[in-house]
Coordinates of all heavy atoms in Angstrom, one line a residue:
Chain Q
G90 N 83.4 53.1 3.1 CA 83.4 54.5 3.5 C 82.2 55.2 2.9 O 82.3 56.4 2.5
S91 N 81.1 54.5 2.8 CA 80.0 55.1 2.1 C 79.3 56.2 2.8 O 79.2 57.4 2.4 CB 79.0 54.1 1.7 OG 78.6 53.4 2.9
L92 N 78.8 55.9 4.1 CA 78.0 56.9 4.8 C 78.8 58.0 5.3 O 78.6 59.2 5.2 CB 77.3 56.2 5.9 CG 76.2 57.0 6.6 CD1 75.0 57.2 5.6 CD2 75.7 56.4 7.9
T93 N 79.9 57.6 6.0 CA 80.7 58.6 6.8 C 81.3 59.8 6.0 O 81.0 60.9 6.3 CB 81.8 57.9 7.5 OG1 81.6 56.5 7.6 CG2 82.1 58.5 8.8
P94 N 82.0 59.5 4.9 CA 82.6 60.6 4.2 C 81.6 61.7 3.8 O 81.8 62.8 3.9 CB 83.3 60.0 3.0 CG 83.3 58.5 3.2 CD 82.2 58.2 4.2
V95 N 80.6 61.2 3.2 CA 79.6 62.1 2.7 C 79.0 63.0 3.8 O 79.0 64.2 3.7 CB 78.4 61.4 1.9 CG1 77.3 62.4 1.6 CG2 79.0 60.7 0.7
S96 N 78.6 62.3 4.9 CA 78.1 63.1 5.9 C 79.1 63.9 6.6 O 78.8 65.0 7.1 CB 77.4 62.2 7.0 OG 78.2 61.1 7.2
G97 N 80.3 63.4 6.6 CA 81.4 64.2 7.2 C 81.6 65.5 6.5 O 81.8 66.6 7.0
L98 N 81.6 65.4 5.2 CA 81.8 66.6 4.3 C 80.6 67.5 4.5 O 80.7 68.7 4.6 CB 81.9 66.1 2.8 CG 83.2 65.7 2.4 CD1 83.1 65.2 1.0 CD2 84.2 66.9 2.4
E99 N 79.5 66.8 4.5 CA 78.2 67.6 4.6 C 78.1 68.5 5.8 O 77.7 69.6 5.8 CB 77.0 66.6 4.5 CG 75.8 67.3 4.0 CD 74.7 66.2 3.8 OE1 74.6 65.3 4.7 OE2 73.9 66.3 2.9
E100 N 78.5 67.9 6.9 CA 78.4 68.5 8.2 C 79.2 69.9 8.2 O 78.8 70.9 8.5 CB 79.0 67.6 9.3 CG 79.1 68.3 10.6 CD 80.2 67.7 11.4 OE1 80.4 66.5 11.2 OE2 80.7 68.3 12.3
D101 N 80.4 69.8 7.6 CA 81.2 70.9 7.6 C 80.7 71.9 6.6 O 80.7 73.1 6.8 CB 82.7 70.6 7.2 CG 83.4 69.9 8.4 OD1 82.9 70.1 9.5 OD2 84.3 69.1 8.1
R102 N 80.3 71.4 5.5 CA 79.8 72.2 4.4 C 78.6 73.0 4.8 O 78.4 74.2 4.5 CB 79.5 71.5 3.1 CG 79.7 72.4 1.9 CD 79.2 71.8 0.7 NE 79.9 70.5 0.4 CZ 79.2 69.4 -0.1 NH1 77.9 69.5 -0.4 NH2 79.9 68.3 -0.4
H103 N 77.8 72.4 5.6 CA 76.6 73.1 6.1 C 77.0 74.4 6.8 O 76.4 75.4 6.7 CB 75.8 72.2 7.1 CG 75.1 71.1 6.5 ND1 74.6 70.1 7.2 CD2 74.9 70.8 5.2 CE1 74.1 69.2 6.3 NE2 74.2 69.7 5.1
L104 N 78.0 74.2 7.6 CA 78.4 75.4 8.4 C 78.9 76.5 7.6 O 78.7 77.7 7.9 CB 79.5 74.9 9.4 CG 79.8 75.8 10.6 CD1 78.5 75.9 11.3 CD2 80.9 75.1 11.4
F105 N 79.7 76.2 6.5 CA 80.3 77.3 5.8 C 79.6 77.5 4.5 O 80.1 78.3 3.7 CB 81.7 77.0 5.4 CG 82.4 76.3 6.5 CD1 82.9 75.0 6.2 CD2 82.6 76.8 7.7 CE1 83.5 74.3 7.1 CE2 83.2 76.1 8.6 CZ 83.7 74.8 8.4
L106 N 78.5 76.9 4.2 CA 77.9 77.2 2.9 C 77.6 78.6 2.8 O 77.7 79.2 1.7 CB 76.5 76.4 2.9 CG 76.1 75.8 1.6 CD1 77.3 75.0 1.0 CD2 74.9 74.9 1.8
C107 N 77.3 79.2 3.9 CA 77.0 80.6 3.9 C 78.1 81.5 3.6 O 78.0 82.7 3.2 CB 76.4 81.0 5.3 SG 77.3 80.3 6.6
L108 N 79.3 81.0 3.8 CA 80.5 81.8 3.6 C 80.8 82.1 2.2 O 81.4 83.1 1.8 CB 81.7 81.2 4.2 CG 81.7 81.1 5.8 CD1 82.9 80.4 6.2 CD2 81.6 82.5 6.4
S109 N 80.4 81.2 1.4 CA 80.6 81.4 0.0 C 79.8 82.5 -0.6 O 78.6 82.6 -0.4 CB 80.3 80.1 -0.8 OG 80.4 80.4 -2.2
P110 N 80.5 83.5 -1.2 CA 79.7 84.7 -1.6 C 78.7 84.4 -2.7 O 77.8 85.2 -2.9 CB 80.8 85.7 -2.0 CG 82.0 84.9 -2.1 CD 81.9 83.7 -1.4
S111 N 79.0 83.4 -3.4 CA 78.1 83.1 -4.6 C 76.8 82.6 -4.1 O 75.8 82.6 -4.9 CB 78.8 82.1 -5.5 OG 79.1 80.9 -4.7
I112 N 76.7 82.1 -2.9 CA 75.4 81.5 -2.5 C 74.5 82.6 -2.0 O 74.9 83.4 -1.1 CB 75.6 80.5 -1.4 CG1 76.4 79.3 -2.1 CG2 74.4 80.0 -0.8 CD1 76.8 78.2 -1.1
S113 N 73.3 82.7 -2.5 CA 72.4 83.7 -2.1 C 71.8 83.4 -0.8 O 71.7 82.2 -0.4 CB 71.3 83.9 -3.2 OG 70.7 82.7 -3.4
R114 N 71.4 84.4 -0.1 CA 70.8 84.1 1.2 C 69.4 83.4 1.0 O 68.6 83.9 0.3 CB 70.6 85.5 1.9 CG 71.9 86.0 2.5 CD 71.6 87.2 3.3 NE 70.9 88.2 2.7 CZ 69.8 88.8 3.3 NH1 69.4 88.4 4.5 NH2 69.2 89.7 2.7
Q115 N 69.3 82.4 1.8 CA 68.0 81.7 1.8 C 67.0 82.2 2.8 O 65.8 82.2 2.7 CB 68.2 80.2 2.0 CG 69.0 79.6 0.9 CD 69.6 78.3 1.4 OE1 69.2 77.7 2.4 NE2 70.5 77.7 0.6
Q116 N 67.5 82.7 3.9 CA 66.7 83.0 5.0 C 66.3 84.5 4.9 O 67.1 85.3 4.6 CB 67.4 82.8 6.3 CG 66.6 82.8 7.5 CD 67.3 82.4 8.7 OE1 68.5 82.3 8.7 NE2 66.6 82.2 9.8
P117 N 65.0 84.7 5.0 CA 64.5 86.1 4.9 C 65.0 86.9 6.1 O 65.2 86.3 7.2 CB 63.0 86.0 4.9 CG 62.7 84.6 5.5 CD 63.9 83.8 5.1
P118 N 65.4 88.1 5.9 CA 66.0 88.9 7.0 C 65.0 89.0 8.2 O 65.5 89.1 9.3 CB 66.1 90.3 6.3 CG 66.0 90.1 4.9 CD 65.2 88.9 4.6
S119 N 63.7 89.0 7.9 CA 62.9 89.2 9.1 C 63.0 88.1 10.1 O 62.9 88.4 11.3 CB 61.4 89.2 8.5 OG 61.2 88.0 7.8
S120 N 63.3 86.9 9.7 CA 63.4 85.8 10.7 C 64.5 86.0 11.5 O 64.6 85.4 12.6 CB 63.4 84.5 9.9 OG 64.6 84.4 9.2
S121 N 65.5 86.8 11.1 CA 66.7 86.9 12.0 C 66.6 88.0 13.0 O 67.5 88.3 13.8 CB 67.9 87.1 11.1 OG 67.8 88.3 10.4
V122 N 65.5 88.7 12.9 CA 65.4 89.9 13.8 C 64.3 89.7 14.9 O 63.7 90.6 15.3 CB 65.2 91.2 13.1 CG1 65.7 92.4 13.8 CG2 65.9 91.2 11.7
I123 N 64.0 88.4 15.1 CA 63.0 88.2 16.1 C 63.5 88.6 17.4 O 64.5 88.1 17.9 CB 62.6 86.7 16.1 CG1 62.1 86.2 14.8 CG2 61.6 86.4 17.2 CD1 62.0 84.8 14.6
K124 N 62.8 89.5 18.0 CA 63.2 89.9 19.4 C 62.1 89.6 20.4 O 61.1 90.3 20.5 CB 63.5 91.4 19.4 CG 64.8 91.7 18.6 CD 65.3 93.0 19.1 CE 66.4 93.5 18.1 NZ 67.6 92.7 18.2

Side-chain angles (χ1 to χ4, degrees):
Chain Q
S91 53
L92 190 70
T93 339
V95 171
S96 46
L98 278 172
E99 204 177 35
E100 172 208 333
D101 289 336
R102 205 189 303 140
H103 288 167
L104 196 58
F105 327 113
L106 217 51
C107 44
L108 292 176
S109 173
S111 57
I112 293 178
S113 56
R114 284 188 307 132
Q115 296 163 11
Q116 196 171 7
S119 56
S120 67
S121 63
V122 206
I123 299 169
K124 289 199 192 293

